[in-house]
Amino acid sequence: TLTVTSANHWMTAWLGLELNMISILPVIAKQKHPRSTEAATKYFLTQATASALMLFASTINAWQTGSWNIMQLNNKLSCILMIVALAMKMGAAPTHFWLPEVMQGTTLATALLITTWQKIAPITLLYMISNHTEPIITLSIGLLSILVGGWGGFNQTQLRKMMAYSSIAHLGWTMTVISIAPNIALTNIIIYMIMSAPFFTLLMTTTSKTLQTMTTTWTHTPTTTIILMLLLLSMAGLPPLTGFTPKLLILDNLVTHKLTLTAATMALLSLLSLTFYLRTTYLLTSTAPPTTTQSTTTWRLKPHQNQTTAILTPIALFNITILPALLT
C-alpha cells in the first residue's frame, strides 16, 4: 500500500497493488474451510483482472502520450479504463459482485482489513488522476453504487454482507464527488474507515456474525450496544454524528456545480441504506428481552480488546465540530 501511495510511475503503482494482493491472499485463506478458499480465489481473480486492465490503460496512455507519470493520464480511453479498473479494485458498482462474497467467506478481522486498508491504494490513485476523470462516468458509478449498496443490504441477516453493501454505498458517495472536489471525497472515505474500524472491533469482541446474535448484546454489555447503535446511525449519516458531515459537504458541492438533480437522487437513495441501518439499530436496542437472552451467549468481554475502539469511537461519533477547521 505504501509503495502505491508514494508511486509516481504507473509500473511502480501496479507492482505495489500486485504485492498487496498476493500478501492478503493467505490472510483470507487462513481458515481451513472451503468458504475461505473460495473467497480467496474470488478475490484473486477479480483483483488480477483489475490489475491487467490497469496495466492495459497505463500502457495505452504511455503509447499515446509518451509518459508513464500517474498525474499525466491525458488519454481519454485510458482514463475511462483506469476508472473502471480502480472501481473493480475497490468494489464499487457495477463491478461490486466479489465484495459481499469475499467478506462473507472470511473472519471479521479480515473483513475489516478488506473494507478499510485495502481501499487506500486504489483511492490514492483515483485521487491522483482526479483532474483527468470524466465527471459523467464517476457520477454514474457513484449513483449506481449508492443504489446497489442500499438495495443489496436490504434483506441481509449476515452482518459481514450487510457491511459489504454499506461499504459499496459509501464508495458511491466518494465516487460521485471525486472529479468535482477530490479533497471532500478523500475526507468521506477516511471518515468511513474511522467508523467501520470500531464497529468491526466491537463485533469481534462480541463474536456477532448475524442479526440474531446481536440481540443478546444488550443483556450483557449495554455500553457496547449503545456504541454500536451510535456507530450505525453515524454510518447512516444522521446529524449531529460524524457520518453526516461528509454527506452534507458532498451534497453542497454538487448543488454548487449545478448538479441539484444528482444531489437529490443521492439523498433519496441513501434512504435505502438508512432502512437497514435503522433495522439493525432497532434489533440492537428495542428488542431486548427483559431477563433472558434469545440465543446462547458465546462470549465474555475482555478489557484489553477495547483499546482501538476506545480511541476511534469518539472520532467516529463526534468530530463534527473540528471538521470545518480541517477542510479550510
Side-chain angles (χ1 to χ4, degrees), residues 81-249:
L81 286 172
M82 190 60 74
I83 292 168
V84 172
L86 292 173
M88 194 188 282
K89 280 260 173 213
M90 292 184 293
T95 49
H96 64 281
F97 296 100
W98 62 273
L99 188 62
E101 296 297 320
V102 170
M103 279 179 68
Q104 186 56 33
T106 59
T107 58
L108 283 164
T110 316
L112 170 61
L113 204 63
I114 292 166
T115 45
T116 54
W117 186 262
Q118 291 302 100
K119 303 243 190 293
I120 295 172
I123 279 285
T124 309
L125 290 174
L126 206 55
Y127 180 80
M128 287 166 86
I129 64 164
S130 58
N131 285 340
H132 302 289
T133 51
E134 289 284 322
I136 188 73
I137 291 167
T138 52
L139 282 169
S140 306
I141 290 174
L143 280 169
L144 193 60
S145 295
I146 297 168
L147 176 67
V148 166
W151 228 320
F154 240 62
N155 285 335
Q156 297 301 335
T157 53
Q158 295 286 338
L159 289 171
R160 282 166 294 181
K161 272 194 177 175
M162 195 184 85
M163 288 309 292
Y165 283 109
S166 159
S167 172
I168 293 164
H170 277 89
L171 274 175
W173 282 86
T174 307
M175 288 296 282
T176 42
V177 84
I178 194 88
S179 53
I180 299 164
N183 288 348
I184 289 172
L186 214 56
T187 309
N188 181 54
I189 203 77
I190 289 166
I191 286 176
Y192 168 68
M193 288 174 188
I194 290 170
M195 289 187 294
S196 322
F199 185 79
F200 272 105
T201 321
L202 286 171
L203 289 186
M204 279 186 266
T205 315
T206 58
T207 63
S208 302
K209 291 187 181 71
T210 59
L211 288 177
Q212 189 201 355
T213 49
M214 274 184 102
T215 54
T216 61
T217 320
W218 178 257
T219 323
H220 294 280
T221 51
T223 320
T224 307
T225 315
I226 291 162
I227 293 171
L228 280 170
M229 177 195 78
L230 287 170
L231 286 168
L232 280 164
L233 294 177
S234 185
M235 278 186 214
L238 296 181
L241 303 168
T242 303
F244 170 68
T245 313
K247 284 189 167 64
L248 180 68
L249 290 166

Side-chain angles (χ1 to χ4, degrees), residues 10-11 14 50-60 68 82 85:
W10 276 117
M11 288 301 279
W14 175 79
S51 289
L53 197 57
M54 187 183 147
L55 201 58
F56 179 55
S58 54
T59 312
I60 289 176
W68 282 96
M82 190 60 74

Side-chain angles (χ1 to χ4, degrees), residues 285-301:
T285 54
S286 306
T287 57
T291 49
T292 55
T293 57
Q294 289 179 354
S295 66
T296 53
T297 312
T298 53
W299 52 275
R300 283 289 179 273
L301 281 180

